[in-house]
Amino acid sequence: MKRRAVALLGVGVLALSACGGPAGGGSGGSDGRSSDGGSSDGESSDGGSSDGGTAGGEAPPATDRTEVAALSPRIVLAHEGGVTTLDSSDGSTVGSSEVAGYVRLNPAGDGRHVAVSASDEITMYDTGLLAQGHGDHFHYYVQDPALTDLSVPAPMPGHVVPHGDRTALFADGTGDITLIDPTAMVDGDLGILDETSTEAPHHGVAVPLSDGGLLVTQGTEDERHTVQALDADGNVTAETDDCPGVHGEAAAKPTESGDVISLGCENGSVIYRDGGFHKVAIDGDYQRSGNQKGHEDSPIVLADHKVEADPEGGVEHPTEIALIDTLDDTQQIVDLGSEYWFRSLDRGPNGEALVLTADGELNILDPETGEMLHEVPVTGEWTEPDNWQEAGPMMSVADGTAFVVDPAAQKLTMVDVASGEIYRELDLPVVPHEIQVTTGTASGEYEIAPGADEHDDAEASEHDDHDESEASDAGGHEEHEGDAEHEDHDH
């Protein structure tokens, strides 16, 4: 590992507001423009801030904020030409920013910002939801969403992985890894903690570990099969080279000795647990789970399940999913009877396994047993797009709700995960190809605003205790697997 030490700059804590009115703070300028003249398309005039984005913008004045009784989740959509944000209570557009190039979205790790990957950099987008602690209660504020001037140069921007109290940003084109403290963004600073890099550029990933270490892949543009665990000083403490085509990572429920991380390989997944690597046994020589979703309270990881090394037409369309038990390194295979793709997977507030299938259903399963809990019709029948960048059915889960997008119909359906009930449908002003939903807090816990929707009181109370489900890849640089090594397209 090549390592560059970086001083801790402006690491902020969530500011406590006075009861009499809104507090200051917030990241970036409210018009989305950087102080050096960078435009709202997320590109600074010199292609990225020279200090890696550590110089934060001025905090917007308190008058830009409005105090509210509670927060409604905001829906962030990436589409051709930029990013649009909607209020989930009524579908109204609360903000839109132009962004050049193909746009990808990832959680930044604080429940408020979204990492926008485009044009060889990763820029933070402030969705404008603020929950500020004040003793035994919170104050809630809203402001206009804005693309901030907090950015990191990232040629071929890749995975963005929040885990614990840090977020790792990976640049495929250089192998550079930037570690940030997402809580610093409340003070208008990116909070860069460390910068390091892999031995060679490749389509890789880094996962922050709770002990201050880092899980990181090693490889080249031609092949990758190595995963390393590093301590806080960058020393290798564990390593495996038995993970060909490594792709897809998810955090599961930790053990008493620390983090548990699953990574997809082409010969069965590998699990980092208790300070070492453990291989998941498979039938046959080839099995790939390149897209994985975890939950911090579940030892089970949801993953796709591909078994064709050389699929007809170059793309496999699986109907089976894998439920990987990270405690005993086994997996249960469940056949859903309908195809799905890489944007189909997510987790519910209690670890439920969620899969969108091409028959138009949202399948909600018990991850421990594989039992089907709910089958909810949410879209028309669909087929996987020819190109992974094209819009297709997708979802994001927050506050116990699955936000399901049908781009062909320009519709968004909100499903209560616990009951499997649809409670709202929204028309979309754009045709999105990616979605993230923010709630204002990293855990997703917040109060439902009275009268914000058509829920009856019982349904609203069910949502009060829901957490935002946490996936460690988090909609990150997931892979359409027409070619496992990404030789058929650039990211």
Side-chain angles (χ1 to χ4, degrees):
M1 294 289 293
K2 292 169 283 185
R3 193 176 185 87
R4 298 177 298 280
V6 176
L8 181 62
L9 298 178
V11 176
V13 296
L14 199 62
L16 301 182
S17 66
C19 289
S27 62
S30 60
D31 64 355
R33 296 182 179 273
S34 65
S35 58
D36 63 357
S39 65
S40 61
D41 65 0
E43 296 182 277
S44 65
S45 58
D46 61 357
S49 59
S50 61
D51 63 355
T54 58
E58 290 295 324
T63 53
D64 287 352
R65 296 181 176 180
T66 301
E67 185 166 9
V68 294
L71 300 176
S72 295
R74 288 187 169 179
I75 302 163
V76 185
L77 303 171
H79 52 86
E80 184 177 357
V83 176
T84 295
T85 300
L86 310 180
D87 187 322
S88 66
S89 67
D90 58 11
S92 61
T93 299
V94 293
S96 186
S97 295
E98 294 183 0
V99 182
Y102 185 75
V103 179
R104 304 213 67 186
L105 305 175
N106 293 279
D110 65 347
R112 169 178 166 181
H113 292 81
V114 170
V116 175
S117 300
S119 302
D120 287 342
E121 68 179 0
I122 300 172
T123 302
M124 297 302 166
Y125 180 80
D126 187 349
T127 63
L129 295 179
L130 298 81
Q132 295 188 337
H134 188 196
D136 61 353
H137 63 280
F138 280 84
H139 288 250
Y140 303 103
Y141 305 93
V142 295
Q143 62 187 39
D144 290 341
L147 199 66
T148 75
D149 61 347
L150 305 177
S151 66
V152 172
M156 298 176 64
H159 288 250
V160 176
V161 181
H163 186 237
D165 57 5
R166 296 179 296 160
T167 299
L169 290 65
F170 196 98
D172 289 353
T174 59
D176 289 342
I177 300 165
T178 304
L179 292 163
I180 69 169
D181 173 4
T183 65
M185 289 187 286
V186 73
D187 292 327
D189 186 85
L190 194 55
I192 292 181
L193 302 172
D194 197 6
E195 292 177 318
T196 185
S197 63
T198 57
E199 295 170 4
H202 66 286
H203 180 53
V205 67
V207 182
L209 299 177
S210 58
D211 62 1
L214 191 67
L215 207 65
V216 64
T217 58
Q218 295 287 357
T220 68
E221 294 178 354
D222 299 320
E223 59 84 29
R224 56 189 190 272
H225 53 74
T226 300
V227 187
Q228 296 174 330
L230 311 178
D231 64 18
D233 295 321
N235 301 309
V236 177
T237 59
E239 178 175 315
T240 179
D241 60 3
D242 190 17
C243 191
V246 54
H247 186 278
E249 74 292 326
K253 183 178 181 178
T255 65
E256 290 183 359
S257 60
D259 298 309
V260 176
I261 311 293
S262 175
L263 299 104
C265 316
E266 293 175 354
N267 62 350
S269 296
V270 67
I271 310 297
Y272 175 75
R273 184 187 67 246
D274 301 330
F277 290 99
H278 310 266
K279 196 68 177 175
V280 175
I282 64 169
D283 294 328
D285 297 325
Y286 184 90
Q287 188 275 318
R288 191 171 191 278
S289 293
N291 298 287
Q292 305 196 4
K293 294 290 181 178
H295 189 279
E296 62 185 1
D297 294 325
S298 172
I300 307 299
V301 166
L302 167 66
D304 56 355
H305 181 69
K306 296 191 174 185
V307 295
E308 301 175 15
D310 187 20
E312 182 178 353
V315 180
E316 183 177 353
H317 301 283
T319 63
E320 296 179 330
I321 58 168
L323 298 172
I324 302 169
D325 191 328
T326 61
L327 293 180
D328 63 11
D329 313 318
T330 62
Q331 60 184 0
Q332 178 183 7
I333 307 304
V334 179
D335 194 338
L336 300 175
S338 182
E339 299 174 359
Y340 62 92
W341 72 321
F342 79 98
R343 298 191 193 277
S344 292
L345 310 178
D346 215 326
R347 301 298 292 269
N350 296 309
E352 299 95 336
L354 277 61
V355 187
L356 286 174
T357 46
D359 57 6
E361 291 191 339
L362 171 61
N363 302 268
I364 303 175
L365 297 88
D366 182 322
E368 299 279 350
T369 65
E371 175 189 358
M372 187 68 68
L373 301 176
H374 306 290
E375 295 176 87
V376 188
V378 286
T379 72
E381 294 187 2
W382 53 274
T383 57
E384 181 175 346
D386 292 334
N387 299 309
W388 71 268
Q389 295 97 331
E390 296 178 28
M394 57 189 160
M395 68 177 151
S396 182
V397 177
D399 188 53
T401 293
F403 296 78
V404 182
V405 173
D406 184 350
Q410 282 187 240
K411 294 282 187 181
L412 183 144
T413 300
M414 297 168 65
V415 180
D416 178 80
V417 175
S419 67
E421 297 294 325
I422 294 173
Y423 67 87
R424 186 180 301 128
E425 294 182 335
L426 303 176
D427 294 323
L428 299 178
V430 296
V431 179
H433 58 258
E434 293 215 346
I435 179 175
Q436 289 291 329
V437 178
T438 62
T439 63
T441 63
S443 68
E445 296 175 348
Y446 77 108
E447 300 173 21
I448 292 291
D453 56 47
E454 297 77 24
H455 272 124
D456 59 28
D457 292 340
E459 286 178 283
S461 66
E462 286 178 2
H463 281 268
D464 288 347
D465 295 328
H466 284 178
D467 292 339
E468 182 178 271
S469 80
E470 177 184 275
S472 69
D473 196 14
H477 192 70
E478 294 167 338
E479 180 173 3
H480 172 79
E481 295 169 46
D483 186 299
E485 299 302 324
H486 291 260
E487 293 171 353
D488 61 343
H489 56 267
D490 291 332
H491 286 194

